[in-house]
Amino acid sequence: MKWDFRHHLLLQIEMLRGGISCEEFSERLGEMTERRLARYVAGKTHLQDSEFRLIAKALSIDAQTLAQAWASSLGLRVFNTDAVSQMVQRAYCRWRQHSRISGVPSSPSPMAIIRARYADRLPMKTPPLRFGAHFRSRSRKDARENRARFARAYEMLVDSVHGGLASREIGAMRGISGERARQLMVCAAYIWASSERIDLSDRSVPFKNEAKFVKNLYAGLRFFAQQRFYDLAAEALAKGPVVDGDQIP
């Protein structure tokens, strides 16, 4: 745990939370910041300066103070004037070094947004749309082929949104890779959304498994709280029994 920036931040949050309950802390964080913190603790993404400052605000402490405490727990030195940016950047470099996820998206996938917001508007029957419709110089043969390509991609999109299948499963069913299936579904999703005048840049839609990440966030806080209790109890026991406020030699 020595160089685990995530767990050290979680430990500092628990130590500085004081009398703020988990429920109140959740309310102070707000849904978006809570989800970002949970994803960071789960190792799925990194924190931004603005998000770190919102965490400090939820704890009712100065962001520089929280950053310095985070650095101190890791045995790192930071400049007092810019501790937040330094620690966020160091944590980001550490995350990039050890993350097994490359190219983590900054927002949920188009499929996730449609599933959460517009599933009732996505018809099971393929609409009369096609790939490359903006290229007016395409021949009639190209138009037919692009319509057929869109139909195949749209069927996969329906499997994802209405069937709840993962890209890997959808790709396996059609003899292609999961990544290729995802690419085709994204294209089909944007073409369909454009025809419906739907904006797929909705950042309020949660990522997959985010509810579990949030649950684990508070489980981690409770774990560190219990560990702190054990440490204090051990210290008191080491000092010997106390009678009427005085330690017995």
Side-chain angles (χ1 to χ4, degrees), residues 227-248:
Q227 289 297 112
R228 182 62 177 163
F229 172 80
Y230 289 149
D231 291 343
L232 291 174
E235 289 177 12
L237 187 62
K239 292 179 181 179
V242 176
V243 176
D244 293 333
D246 295 322
Q247 183 176 326
I248 296 178

Side-chain angles (χ1 to χ4, degrees), residues 180-200:
R180 181 55 180 162
R182 186 193 68 80
Q183 292 172 356
L184 291 170
M185 286 190 291
V186 168
C187 291
Y190 277 110
I191 290 173
W192 172 79
S194 177
S195 71
E196 294 288 317
R197 297 183 179 179
I198 292 174
D199 182 7
L200 292 181

Side-chain angles (χ1 to χ4, degrees), residues 46-101:
H46 60 91
L47 286 175
Q48 304 287 347
D49 282 41
S50 58
E51 294 159 351
F52 184 86
R53 294 179 189 280
L54 288 173
I55 294 169
K57 183 178 179 181
L59 293 168
S60 297
I61 62 173
D62 180 66
Q64 299 290 341
T65 301
L66 177 58
Q68 289 163 5
W70 190 15
S72 179
S73 69
L74 285 160
L76 301 175
R77 297 183 62 183
V78 292
F79 295 106
N80 294 340
T81 56
D82 197 22
V84 173
S85 296
Q86 292 175 69
M87 285 306 298
V88 168
Q89 182 60 33
R90 287 185 179 186
Y92 170 71
C93 292
R94 189 69 178 176
W95 175 80
R96 287 287 297 173
Q97 182 181 355
H98 294 277
S99 175
R100 291 177 294 179
I101 305 172

Side-chain angles (χ1 to χ4, degrees), residues 13-61:
I13 290 173
E14 177 53 39
M15 293 177 65
L16 296 170
R17 189 164 57 89
I20 303 172
S21 67
C22 287
E23 292 75 14
E24 184 180 355
F25 182 56
S26 173
E27 185 176 342
R28 290 187 180 190
L29 282 175
E31 184 182 356
M32 291 294 289
T33 304
E34 180 182 63
R35 281 164 30 192
R36 290 289 298 184
L37 175 58
R39 281 179 56 77
Y40 172 66
V41 172
K44 300 300 181 182
T45 189
H46 60 91
L47 286 175
Q48 304 287 347
D49 282 41
S50 58
E51 294 159 351
F52 184 86
R53 294 179 189 280
L54 288 173
I55 294 169
K57 183 178 179 181
L59 293 168
S60 297
I61 62 173

Side-chain angles (χ1 to χ4, degrees), residues 67-243:
Q68 289 163 5
W70 190 15
S72 179
S73 69
L74 285 160
L76 301 175
R77 297 183 62 183
V78 292
F79 295 106
N80 294 340
T81 56
D82 197 22
V84 173
S85 296
Q86 292 175 69
M87 285 306 298
V88 168
Q89 182 60 33
R90 287 185 179 186
Y92 170 71
C93 292
R94 189 69 178 176
W95 175 80
R96 287 287 297 173
Q97 182 181 355
H98 294 277
S99 175
R100 291 177 294 179
I101 305 172
S102 60
V104 174
S106 59
S107 60
S109 71
M111 291 75 77
I113 294 173
I114 293 173
R115 191 182 303 119
R117 295 277 189 265
Y118 310 107
D120 59 329
R121 292 177 59 179
L122 185 77
M124 299 291 289
K125 184 179 179 180
T126 304
L129 300 171
R130 60 187 172 93
F131 287 143
H134 53 287
F135 291 108
R136 298 183 182 277
S137 60
R138 294 292 180 89
S139 68
R140 187 172 298 177
K141 179 181 177 183
D142 288 335
R144 286 197 301 268
E145 290 177 352
N146 287 334
R147 206 171 285 120
R149 289 177 60 227
F150 174 81
R152 289 192 292 270
Y154 187 85
E155 288 174 1
M156 291 189 278
L157 177 62
V158 169
D159 286 342
S160 174
V161 173
H162 293 302
L165 298 180
S167 299
R168 184 169 52 185
E169 297 172 294
I170 293 170
M173 291 167 58
R174 291 166 174 80
I176 59 176
S177 69
E179 177 58 23
R180 181 55 180 162
R182 186 193 68 80
Q183 292 172 356
L184 291 170
M185 286 190 291
V186 168
C187 291
Y190 277 110
I191 290 173
W192 172 79
S194 177
S195 71
E196 294 288 317
R197 297 183 179 179
I198 292 174
D199 182 7
L200 292 181
S201 61
D202 190 349
R203 293 176 178 269
S204 66
V205 174
F207 286 79
K208 182 181 179 181
N209 294 328
E210 242 175 3
K212 182 177 72 175
F213 297 153
V214 171
K215 182 179 179 180
N216 290 341
L217 164 66
Y218 292 104
L221 288 176
R222 286 191 292 271
F223 170 79
F224 284 121
Q226 191 66 44
Q227 289 297 112
R228 182 62 177 163
F229 172 80
Y230 289 149
D231 291 343
L232 291 174
E235 289 177 12
L237 187 62
K239 292 179 181 179
V242 176
V243 176

